[in-house]
Amino acid sequence: MAHSTLSQISVTVPVGSDCSLRRSVFKTNSINFHDKSWAPMLALNFKTKNGKSRDWQILCMSVQQASVPKVAVSPLELEDAKEPPLNLHKPKEPYTATIVSVDRLVGPKAPGETCHIVIDHGGNVPYWEGQSYGVIPSGENPKKPGMPHNVRLYSIASTRYGDFFDGKTASLCVRRAVYYDPETGKEDPSKNGVCSNFLCNSKPGDKIQITGPSGKIMLLPEDNPNATHIMIATGTGVAPYRGYLRRMFMESVPTFKFGGLAWLFLGVANTDSLLYDEEFSKYLQDYPDNFRYDKALSREQKNKSGGKMYVQDKIEEYSDEIFRLLDNGAHIYFCGLKGMMPGIQETLKRVAEERGESWDEKLSQLKKNKQWHVEVY
């Protein structure tokens, strides 16, 4: 999908100098040209300082479209299934996968630690964008001696092709859950999140028990490739959206040519807490007509009342536009901590009332139309 059109490329030739065309004259800026329409060669005759003539042939380009190249994916059979895969591996018979890598995603000033974890499932636990894996941490359940830990669900942060585009891996975005004693201010490891710490502490080559995939609520509807998708996340709730956006803008998927609008709202504490920011910023640069990206940084930005900027404040900023898009059939997604929803619902209700609408009726209609997708934890 092209995002810009170049109608003319001009070449400037310095006058009165030795006419050796310097490479700097041609500034390509790494543009890859597709669907080229080439004009004939233009022959130019230049006189150099010593009077000798030199013939130059300059290719005149009429470039219809400059497309950002996408990554080839395989196996394309992953597109064939008509229904999403569900619960291929249950808690009593989990699949043993292997940790490929664990990378810290956040900067030094971020409160807490969030990791990007790539898991090799060998193509044996296929999934669709928006689904979740269950993870069973190693060790025994302290509440049920001799029994394994309970399954913890994590939204998958990659497309069905994984980070290596070969359909054999899945990625998770995991924040390490740490408990600090309010009296001493010291960390109490006995109350830390069992699974998040197990995952963040894992090393490449470690074995991991996974179940699933599960979930249908956050599946990316692809019946209309020109649809609008408004994605709202706090923290690691951005995971499913990373999968959506890679599918829309990074991967060359023959069956899904996205030409709509994807609009991401991400709420985190500060700049160092932003997740996958480089990836998202690249889409913004490459696909300005199809991607919007708004950040709510609660410790760095102020809302219109002078308070901390939360994701619901960003939504309020663009509320008229969001409501108009919803009226035209846009899908809206919410993913993150369940504490995000009351504030967002209050904001949407207030905006609806200001517009003379009933929020309850509007919400009911959005759910009926399958435009409303919520997964909070």
Side-chain angles (χ1 to χ4, degrees), residues 309-372:
M309 174 71 82
Y310 291 110
V311 76
Q312 61 262 32
D313 299 312
K314 274 287 171 196
I315 293 167
E316 189 170 12
E317 252 180 59
Y318 296 101
S319 56
D320 282 343
E321 198 174 351
I322 289 170
F323 271 64
R324 192 173 70 250
L325 291 169
L326 290 173
D327 289 342
N328 289 328
H331 289 270
I332 190 163
Y333 310 80
F334 303 88
C335 191
L337 295 172
K338 62 173 66 136
M340 73 188 270
M341 288 310 292
I344 289 171
Q345 292 263 35
E346 283 165 24
T347 298
L348 293 171
K349 185 174 182 178
R350 186 172 65 252
V351 170
E353 286 169 356
E354 285 169 2
R355 293 164 58 92
E357 297 181 60
S358 159
W359 173 244
D360 290 341
E361 282 177 23
K362 193 170 194 71
L363 178 57
S364 174
Q365 194 60 47
L366 290 171
K367 288 178 177 177
K368 187 179 172 186
N369 295 346
K370 297 183 178 174
Q371 293 171 253
W372 183 264

Side-chain angles (χ1 to χ4, degrees), residues 155-158 171-173 233 235-244 276 335:
S155 297
I156 298 171
S158 49
S171 302
L172 304 181
C173 178
T236 57
V238 78
Y241 309 144
R242 178 182 184 255
Y244 298 173
Y276 308 112
C335 191

